Amino acid sequence: MKRLFQLLSGWPLPLLHLAGTGVGWLAFLLSPTYRRRFLANVRQAGYRFAQVRRAVAEAGKLVMETPRLWFGAPAAVHWDGAELIERLRAQQRGIVFLTPHLGCFEVTAQAYAARFGRITVLYRPARKAWLRDLVATSRVRPNMEAAPTTLAGVRQMLRALKAGEAVGLLPDQVPPQGLGVWAPFFGQDAYTMTLPARLARQTGAAVLLAWGERLPHGRGYTVHLQPWEGELGDDPVQSAREVNAAMERLVRAGPQQYLWGYARYKQPREELAA
């Protein structure tokens, strides 16, 4: 599989996105489970399928662009709001980036590492051994570290923030049992990580919202940044509500690129808290 990824990494981005359009529609048409979840999540958010139809193809583009992002040449990235980062770095403050499953979330951390410096990204270790090995050799790049969704990973992120570095996480990812609370997401309770508030409170780090918009015709990406508006207090449920509300706002800014097929409302699974 790694050899296949390395082969695809040499394809031009427009060709990968063209192939991804087909992959996205094949998955949607051939998998009843995926299709039902996609449509149910769209309805839960108050959209009609016609309004987010393009998200079917965008999900396929996400799959096909991954080999290039992991093993290929850097993609062209434009910045919307880079001055927010520059201001915080001048203050030597740590930064917590919150990014939903929207657009190309892989590129946001890569672009930060390439332009600004070190960043530690939270990830869930894959269950399959071959996929764990693939991810382990692809996501650790210059100025990038990967932290697993374990207590050891949390400690790793805390150390990075206290050193004035950046961390990134997907707060609409279902955390392991015991590392989240139930809070509404588009009006339905979803198990939501409490980590963003913990990281910010314990280190004094700033919080920024970020998402990587996939530009048409393989022209690259635009990383959009927004300042955090609100408080991440001591109440974990209220903080989770505020994080989910912020993620909803980002999704509504680009619903055609949200990963509607993601199982956001599933039950959390037990994991070792190493």
Side-chain angles (χ1 to χ4, degrees):
M1 182 60 70
K2 183 176 180 179
R3 289 186 177 181
L4 175 60
F5 268 55
Q6 290 172 331
L7 174 64
L8 291 173
S9 71
W11 287 20
L13 193 58
L15 183 57
L16 288 170
H17 283 176
L18 180 62
T21 297
V23 168
W25 277 103
L26 279 174
F28 184 82
L29 295 173
L30 297 179
S31 173
T33 300
Y34 171 70
R35 185 169 62 251
R36 283 194 298 269
R37 184 167 60 234
F38 185 107
L39 295 174
N41 288 344
V42 167
R43 288 194 299 269
Q44 183 63 41
Y47 291 105
R48 299 186 307 275
F49 176 65
Q51 293 176 284
V52 297
R53 177 187 178 93
R54 205 180 88 201
V56 174
E58 295 294 326
K61 293 178 184 180
L62 174 67
V63 172
M64 292 302 296
E65 72 193 0
T66 298
R68 180 181 173 111
L69 292 169
W70 283 4
F71 295 104
V77 176
H78 310 275
W79 287 87
D80 172 25
E83 67 277 1
L84 296 173
I85 297 175
E86 292 165 350
R87 188 178 308 129
L88 292 170
R89 281 178 56 81
Q91 299 170 4
Q92 297 184 329
R93 289 185 68 186
I95 305 173
V96 178
F97 287 101
L98 302 183
T99 304
H101 285 82
L102 177 65
C104 181
F105 38 90
E106 289 277 353
V107 83
T108 56
Q110 287 191 12
Y112 179 91
R115 177 168 174 176
F116 296 104
R118 288 176 59 85
I119 183 170
T120 301
V121 180
L122 186 71
Y123 78 102
R124 170 171 288 177
R127 291 181 175 180
K128 298 182 183 298
W130 68 266
L131 187 53
R132 284 199 302 271
D133 294 339
L134 180 64
V135 172
T137 58
S138 61
R139 280 187 168 159
V140 178
R141 304 165 73 94
N143 282 334
M144 280 187 63
E145 297 289 338
T149 52
T150 63
L151 292 180
V154 173
R155 290 192 289 268
Q156 181 181 346
M157 300 184 88
L158 287 169
R159 287 194 298 270
L161 289 172
K162 289 176 181 178
E165 298 174 3
V167 303
L169 56 157
L170 279 66
D172 61 341
Q173 183 178 58
V174 179
Q177 181 68 45
L179 296 180
V181 295
W182 292 95
F185 184 67
F186 289 117
Q188 180 176 337
D189 277 354
Y191 198 65
T192 303
M193 63 176 64
T194 56
L195 185 56
R198 179 180 172 185
L199 293 175
R201 286 200 317 271
Q202 292 190 14
T203 66
V207 178
L208 291 181
L209 309 179
W211 74 281
E213 180 185 6
R214 188 177 297 109
L215 300 179
H217 311 299
R219 295 202 306 267
Y221 307 90
T222 295
V223 176
H224 299 278
L225 299 172
Q226 295 180 18
W228 174 261
E229 297 178 359
E231 295 184 6
L232 292 173
D234 295 330
D235 184 343
V237 174
Q238 182 57 35
S239 293
R241 286 175 173 268
E242 292 191 22
V243 168
N244 280 353
M247 296 302 100
E248 288 181 20
R249 290 193 295 272
L250 289 185
V251 171
R252 293 199 186 282
Q256 297 86 359
Q257 293 197 18
Y258 187 60
L259 202 63
W260 294 107
Y262 178 63
R264 181 64 185 92
Y265 303 104
K266 66 183 178 181
Q267 292 290 320
R269 73 188 191 196
E270 296 282 352
E271 291 189 6
L272 294 176

